[in-house]
Amino acid sequence: MNATPPLAEGYEISADPARLDAGRVHHWLSTDAYWATGREREKQDRAIAGSLNFGVYDTASREQVAYARVVTDLATFAWLCDVYVDPAVRGKGIGTALVAAVRDHLRPHGLRRVLLATHDAHGVYEQVGFEPLEKPDRWMALIFEKPGVA
């Protein structure tokens, strides 16, 4: 089991949906996340409503500085997505601590697997136990939208 990395001092992680700054999350994802560029606010709000959401917050200002979303049945499967750390706080281990907190939150539910997709952050996820699919040829996808369209 991978150890849980400490969260940088001055920050806290919460899964309380009432704390989310949905406008900020939408702005981050729709303007700066390659997988969600151009995503409409209404679509993002539906995604938040149908998911387990995690935020990282600056304890002094109470502002949200990072986000992660999990689509899950909390019984057999989860999909980790929309992991984003504000550029102003990157490099402090916030992303790694956030993903570890998500892992630790999901572990007691007895899920068989948690999946994710990433283009450029493999190292972050490997630090908390994610690894490439052993048999990727067994997986398929049904694509409704063209790549690059959130």
Side-chain angles (χ1 to χ4, degrees), residues 119-134:
H119 176 72
D120 58 357
H122 296 78
V124 170
Y125 299 107
E126 288 169 348
Q127 289 179 53
V128 296
F130 282 87
E131 51 192 56
L133 290 174
E134 186 176 311

Side-chain angles (χ1 to χ4, degrees), residues 96-121:
T96 304
L98 173 58
V99 173
V102 170
R103 175 201 63 200
D104 295 347
H105 185 94
L106 295 173
R107 188 183 309 278
H109 295 283
L111 304 176
R112 183 168 181 189
R113 67 179 46 95
V114 178
L115 293 180
L116 63 86
T118 184
H119 176 72
D120 58 357

Side-chain angles (χ1 to χ4, degrees), residues 15-114:
D16 179 356
R19 292 187 70 184
L20 287 177
D21 184 339
R24 178 173 285 200
V25 169
H26 173 256
H27 175 75
W28 284 335
L29 297 177
S30 68
T31 64
D32 191 41
Y34 66 84
W35 65 91
T37 302
R39 184 179 290 169
E40 296 173 2
R41 173 67 190 261
E42 183 272 333
K43 183 176 276 195
Q44 183 62 49
D45 288 346
R46 283 190 293 129
I48 288 171
S51 301
L52 176 60
N53 300 276
F54 294 82
V56 179
Y57 303 89
D58 181 302
T59 56
S61 69
R62 311 299 289 165
E63 288 186 348
Q64 187 170 350
V65 299
Y67 175 73
R69 183 169 70 86
V70 180
V71 180
T72 184
D73 59 11
L74 290 177
T76 62
F77 177 81
W79 175 265
L80 174 60
C81 53
D82 287 346
V83 178
Y84 187 90
V85 177
D86 189 298
V89 298
R90 289 182 188 164
K92 297 181 178 186
I94 289 172
T96 304
L98 173 58
V99 173
V102 170
R103 175 201 63 200
D104 295 347
H105 185 94
L106 295 173
R107 188 183 309 278
H109 295 283
L111 304 176
R112 183 168 181 189
R113 67 179 46 95
V114 178

